[in-house]
């Protein structure tokens, strides 16, 4: 698969089949993703992989220990500006339309949101942490790592969904995986095979036109 094909094929997948993914394959993808660049080559990513029994136990633990937690960080800025606000709203509405959940059905929307905390049914996943000492440049390095991982996973026939929703459950996750106190959780990553029957997976999110965010200097 060409890089271009992987870039266009990848999308966030929010329903998976039961087909397992081996840790050997996940390890290979992580090793490949670790070729991602990072400022000063500091490689600030710290991962905890959940798979097989460990994943089953973790999902059960989350269900059995619901609790309100202080988020690891603000996922979006308060008063998110335009055009970002509308883009966020639009993709959410596109997803709920595919799921046939209207705006008024708050309970169904919340229930759907809670699917994040079961990795959308993916058999495997990981959590990505970063040392609290790190700042915005190193956080951007995480993005490079994560996208490289998702593209390599696409090439391997896998599907993924990055999940910052987990930032709302940082204690549950950190305690479970045994992350050191100086680490903080950035996001989760659902990994598995796409359930091609699930309507939600047909979501093709929009993008801003190049001219709206790019200035070619003349
Ligand atoms: C760092 C990061 C965190 C994300 N967190 C979530 C999440 O918690 N739940 C979710 O359903 N999608 C999540 N997404 C997926 C985005 O909504 C998605 O990337 C965006 O709408 C564009 O769609 P696409 O990935 O299908 O191209 C996340 C994406 C990124 C890059």
């Amino acid at each position: 698969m060409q890089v271009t094909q992987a870039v266009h094929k990848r999308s966030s997948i929010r329903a998976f089949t039961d087909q397992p993914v081996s840790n050997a394959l996940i390890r290979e993808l992580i090793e490949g993703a670790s070729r991602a660049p990072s400022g000063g080559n500091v490689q600030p990513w710290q991962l905890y992989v959940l798979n097989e029994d460990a994943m089953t136990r973790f999902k059960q633990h989350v269900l059995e220990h619901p609790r309100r937690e202080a988020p690891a960080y603000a996922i979006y800025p308060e008063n998110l500006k335009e055009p970002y606000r509308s883009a966020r709203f639009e993709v959410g509405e596109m997803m709920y339309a595919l799921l046939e959940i209207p705006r008024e059905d708050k309970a169904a929307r919340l229930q759907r949101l809670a699917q994040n905390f079961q990795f959308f049914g993916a058999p495997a996943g990981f959590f990505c942490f970063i040392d609290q000492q790190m700042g915005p440049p190193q956080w951007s390095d995480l993005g490079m790592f994560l996208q490289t991982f998702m593209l390599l996973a696409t090439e391997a026939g896998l599907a993924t969904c990055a999940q910052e929703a987990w930032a709302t459950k940082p204690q549950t996750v950190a305690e479970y995986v045994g992350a050191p106190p100086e680490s903080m959780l950035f996001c989760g990553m659902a990994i598995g095979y796409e359930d091609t029957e699930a309507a939600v997976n047909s979501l093709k999110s929009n993008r801003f036109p190049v001219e709206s965010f790019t200035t070619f200097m003349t």
Side-chain angles (χ1 to χ4, degrees):
M1 184 182 278
Q2 301 283 325
V3 177
T4 307
Q5 288 172 297
V7 166
H8 289 282
K9 187 166 181 354
R10 186 215 61 79
S11 65
S12 295
I13 292 304
R14 299 182 179 89
F16 293 83
T17 68
D18 293 338
Q19 189 180 339
V21 185
S22 73
N23 270 343
L25 176 55
I26 295 173
R27 193 194 179 283
E28 192 181 314
L29 299 173
I30 290 172
E31 188 168 42
S34 75
R35 296 307 307 173
S38 57
N41 202 26
V42 295
Q43 306 161 70
W45 36 81
Q46 301 170 350
L47 306 183
Y48 295 86
V49 177
L50 292 172
N51 200 359
E52 301 166 353
D53 285 352
M55 178 59 112
T56 309
R57 285 199 309 271
F58 176 70
K59 286 178 179 171
Q60 196 57 34
H61 176 82
V62 171
L63 288 176
E64 286 169 5
H65 299 85
R67 68 188 208 200
R68 274 207 170 274
E69 299 181 27
Y73 56 89
I75 295 180
Y76 300 102
E78 233 178 276
N79 304 317
L80 185 64
K81 289 179 187 171
E82 291 297 349
Y84 315 110
R85 187 173 184 276
S86 293
R88 183 186 170 204
F89 180 80
E90 179 189 59
V91 78
E93 289 308 309
M94 285 166 76
M95 187 183 78
Y96 288 119
L98 287 168
L99 291 162
E100 297 181 16
I101 305 176
R103 267 188 87 64
E104 318 75 69
D105 197 346
K106 297 273 184 271
R109 286 195 171 200
L110 277 176
Q111 229 176 1
R112 179 61 210 177
L113 197 67
Q115 283 296 308
N116 268 289
F117 307 116
Q118 293 292 298
F119 281 98
F120 297 117
F126 65 64
F127 287 114
C128 180
F129 282 73
I130 187 167
D131 194 292
Q132 305 227 23
Q133 182 187 44
M134 303 298 180
Q138 291 76 40
W139 281 70
S140 89
D141 296 337
L142 295 188
M144 305 214 193
F145 174 89
L146 295 166
Q147 170 70 339
T148 307
F149 177 87
M150 291 191 281
L151 293 180
L152 291 172
T154 303
E155 184 190 42
L158 289 167
T160 54
C161 188
Q163 296 182 275
E164 55 203 358
W166 284 108
T168 63
K169 292 193 180 294
Q171 284 141 278
T172 299
V173 175
E175 278 170 25
Y176 196 87
V177 301
E182 66 272 19
S183 289
M184 70 180 285
L185 176 63
F186 172 42
C187 70
M189 177 72 69
I191 306 166
Y193 291 92
E194 176 180 352
D195 177 354
T196 51
E197 313 266 283
V200 70
N201 288 338
S202 64
L203 174 54
K204 187 77 191 155
S205 55
N206 293 324
R207 294 295 186 269
F208 296 136
V210 171
E211 290 67 29
S212 72
F213 60 88
T214 310
T215 305
F216 288 92
M217 307 301 291
T218 52

